[in-house]
């Protein structure tokens, strides 16, 4: 019985460790203008890529940044 409890606890720990991380937030560029001081003189796509990297330590592709910026300005 004790072995079963230990096995269950170990299994639960492993499953929790392998659970996906919470969703990463996408920085908002809504209301910002390209090449302005607010975007550090970058395009909206470049600023979004840079800010995403600062917040998540992951670079997204330029195509992903273009799509996200377009979605945010349309919505």
């Amino acid at each position: 019985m004790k072995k079963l409890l230990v096995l269950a606890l170990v299994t639960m720990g492993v499953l929790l460790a392998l659970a996906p991380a919470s969703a990463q937030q996408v920085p908002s560029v809504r209301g910002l203008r390209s090449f302005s001081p607010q975007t550090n003189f970058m395009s909206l796509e470049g600023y979004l890529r840079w800010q995403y990297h600062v917040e998540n330590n992951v670079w997204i592709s330029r195509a992903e940044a273009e799509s996200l910026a377009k979605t945010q300005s349309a919505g």
Side-chain angles (χ1 to χ4, degrees), residues 42-59:
M42 292 184 250
S43 66
L44 289 179
E45 296 82 5
Y47 177 76
L48 197 146
R49 286 187 74 216
W50 172 75
Q51 191 63 40
Y52 190 92
H53 174 69
V54 168
E55 293 175 10
N56 301 297
N57 202 30
V58 174
W59 285 105

